[in-house]
Amino acid sequence: MAQKITDANYKELLAQDKLVVVDFWAEWCGPCRSIAPAIDELATEFAEKAIIGKYNVDDDNTLSSEMGIRNIPTLLFFKGGKLVDKQVGASSKADLKAKIEANL
């Protein structure tokens, strides 16, 4: 299951040495809902190697504003607190998995 990322905890999470994947989403977003099962499955598969979480742009907005998020779903990949990759728009589980593996 993907971890809930909020304005209260994102700075601590992004500072981790592990790869951190943040899924920016909203309840009303169809493409966001379509990739949600894959995000949860990948969070379980990569639990030892990466932190995969979801950031609801309707509930929080500091991180999405800082990162200039204009479209959802957007996935940002951080390592050591630095942005190393991103994926804008829905994508298949296989494509997301490959992107995670490439950034580990």
Side-chain angles (χ1 to χ4, degrees):
M1 180 65 94
Q3 183 167 344
K4 183 175 182 178
I5 299 175
T6 66
D7 286 343
N9 70 1
Y10 80 89
K11 287 183 180 180
E12 178 184 320
L13 289 172
L14 297 186
Q16 301 289 317
D17 287 333
K18 286 183 175 181
L19 176 68
V20 180
V21 181
V22 182
D23 173 19
F24 293 84
W25 73 288
E27 197 69 44
W28 50 263
C29 170
C32 299
R33 288 193 317 268
S34 73
I35 67 167
I39 297 296
D40 285 336
E41 290 169 13
L42 290 167
T44 301
E45 287 178 37
F46 287 96
E48 299 297 317
K49 298 178 182 177
I51 297 168
I52 300 176
K54 299 172 71 66
Y55 182 91
N56 187 322
V57 298
D58 287 338
D59 293 344
D60 295 286
N61 62 17
T62 302
L63 180 59
S64 55
S65 293
E66 285 179 10
M67 294 293 119
I69 302 300
R70 303 219 185 278
N71 300 303
I72 55 173
T74 292
L75 281 80
L76 297 184
F77 299 75
F78 296 89
K79 201 158 194 183
K82 298 190 186 317
L83 181 65
V84 295
D85 206 348
K86 72 182 193 176
Q87 167 69 42
V88 178
S91 190
S92 71
K93 180 181 175 183
D95 287 345
L96 294 173
K97 183 175 183 173
K99 199 169 262 267
I100 291 168
E101 289 173 339
N103 285 291
L104 285 175

